Amino acid sequence: MPRISPAMIRKVASYDPLLGLLLPVCRTAEAARQELHWIRNEGASVQRACALRARSVPLQYVLGSQPFGELEILCKRNVLIPRWETEEWASELAARWQTSRVTAPTVVDLCTGTGCVALLLKRALPRAQVTAIDCSPFAIALVTKNLHHNDIRDVTVLQRDILRDDRPAIAADLVVCNPPYIPRDAFVRDVTTSVKMYEPRLALVADKEFYTNLCDVWLRHTRSFVYEIGDISQAHFVADRISATTWSVGIRRDSNGKPRVVYGFKTDDVQLNKLYDGFGYLVR
Amino acid sequence: MIHTRASEIAVMNVRWLCSTTLRLVKKNKLPPRPKFTKEMEAQCEEKFLHGGRGPGGQKINKCNSKVQLKHLETGIVVTCQETRSRESNRKIAREKMALEIARYLNPDSSTDARTEALQRWVVQGKRAKEKKSKLKYAKHEEERQSKQQESLRRDAAIIESL
Ligand SMILES: C[S@@+](CC[C@H](N)C(=O)[O-])C[C@H]1O[C@@H](n2cnc3c(N)ncnc32)[C@H](O)[C@@H]1O
């Protein structure tokens, strides 16, 4: 990324000192102006917010929340901030289940973090039985807060390490998961400063562990799954490991054109064939 | 009855409000905004705009809520990133689009009555604010002067006692 020159910062700061604080972290004057507008709109202490942003603290930790569909998800240090890519597939998935004939599906959200995906699905499908699982005590505490904050009830929240603890898994219609998916070398190379400095590594760094866990553990207990991916190789890994005779597997791109989700359903299930038709493209 | 200066100001304030309310534009009684119809929804193409290349997903935590709406028949394009919420921006973009389409269909009619009223409403709010701050300033000034006189009197008393 191009370096932002001190001259440019000075120029922007002479216009508004707060913009000068935001420019290095926002990268462009346009983005800085936009962010200042949001900060002002949300009634935060503007000075304090800009000072924290100048130190690369994520805006969502500064303002304390991130919109996710129609929900407002509270965000705190030690728990990953929900991303727009996740919001996008989760919203589309919720809409599809809403119009399907299964009105009360059993849903398991693994690696739930703030609980954003679990809560979005529960809001869209009030009769669904939703279980949210994470190993981090910070995440578990925040999920509970978010349930209250969004006035959602009846979501089961469990603290478990899903890679070690394979107590009889829940029989589900849908397993969703946004697992840590950034390999160690890519973490050093590609991850932006703000993420590296302030978001928990536990939520980010892993290679194929969680996709292996899907194939070896969760597949036996569900009719369909939707997993976020960081790289297309992770989708191929799942497709190659899964029985081609019983499972259909697909890849869905995000609106920026990047492969973002690997999903699958039992091939002989007529209902699910219809539900996932057009969600992505089938590779198996 | 004896008024202190501050309560006089309060009374003036009330009177000013009473005498002017009739001419004020009310925010909840603006001319209606054009509706974004189901047909329009079908005629529009929606896009979510992002920075383009570069890492995505968990690697970056930039807020991305920009929405673009294109009305295919007229080529009208509106964008919105007013809020951090993509859902809200989608709604606002549709309101903007409905207004643009109304303007397009009816370039010089009353479709802009709402905009005009809104503008008057904003100006009116600004005036009220100015008045308020003038009053506040007057009050501060008064307090400042009385404090000054008080301290002068005290100084005089001290000098006298010497
Ligand atoms: C990428 S974050 C996803 C959070 C949230 N679902 C979202 O989309 O914003 C991954 C989450 O997995 C959790 N996690 C990491 N290892 C885990 C494990 N072995 N068992 C259960 N949860 C784990 C982390 O605590 C983190 O909250």
Side-chain angles (χ1 to χ4, degrees), chain A residues 61-227:
Chain A
Y61 288 156
V62 174
L63 297 178
S65 69
Q66 168 64 34
F68 196 81
E70 282 174 2
L71 305 174
E72 182 180 75
I73 298 293
L74 302 175
C75 295
K76 287 187 176 211
R77 291 270 184 98
N78 295 315
V79 184
L80 190 100
I81 297 158
R83 306 295 202 252
W84 66 262
E85 289 93 335
T86 311
E87 177 188 26
E88 196 171 276
W89 66 252
S91 301
E92 170 73 16
L93 184 66
R96 283 168 176 269
W97 278 89
Q98 259 178 332
T99 54
S100 88
R101 276 195 286 140
V102 198
T103 51
T106 301
V107 179
V108 181
D109 178 26
L110 302 170
C111 300
T112 196
T114 54
C116 53
V117 178
L119 268 63
L120 187 120
L121 289 168
K122 181 66 184 176
R123 171 59 57 84
L125 309 159
R127 293 180 53 215
Q129 293 190 20
V130 180
T131 303
I133 302 178
D134 204 290
C135 67
S136 150
F138 301 106
I140 296 299
L142 195 53
V143 176
T144 313
K145 279 219 169 77
N146 270 315
L147 283 167
H148 277 288
H149 188 68
N150 289 284
D151 202 17
I152 297 175
R153 259 154 298 210
D154 298 332
V155 170
T156 309
V157 186
L158 299 177
Q159 185 177 348
R160 281 197 196 167
D161 176 343
I162 61 163
L163 298 183
R164 298 220 170 69
D165 184 344
D166 54 359
R167 268 176 272 182
I170 304 141
D173 295 298
L174 169 63
V175 171
V176 290
C177 179
N178 175 15
Y181 56 56
I182 308 175
R184 211 160 289 278
D185 56 329
F187 184 81
V188 178
R189 197 180 53 230
D190 302 336
V191 172
T192 58
T193 315
S194 172
V195 177
K196 263 190 203 141
M197 282 174 64
Y198 293 99
E199 293 194 84
R201 211 163 277 224
L202 173 68
L204 298 163
V205 180
D207 196 350
K208 302 274 186 336
E209 301 88 301
F210 291 87
Y211 305 102
T212 307
N213 176 258
L214 160 67
C215 300
D216 297 354
V217 178
W218 292 97
L219 273 191
R220 274 182 280 127
H221 304 286
T222 188
R223 294 204 289 151
S224 74
F225 65 87
V226 176
Y227 269 53

Side-chain angles (χ1 to χ4, degrees), chain A residues 34 42 83 85 178 255-256 258, chain B residues 50 52 54 57-58 60 84:
Chain A
Q34 180 60 56
E42 301 202 18
R83 306 295 202 252
E85 289 93 335
N178 175 15
S255 63
N256 204 21
K258 300 244 165 72
Chain B
H50 325 287
Q58 292 165 10
I60 182 166
R84 292 195 294 137

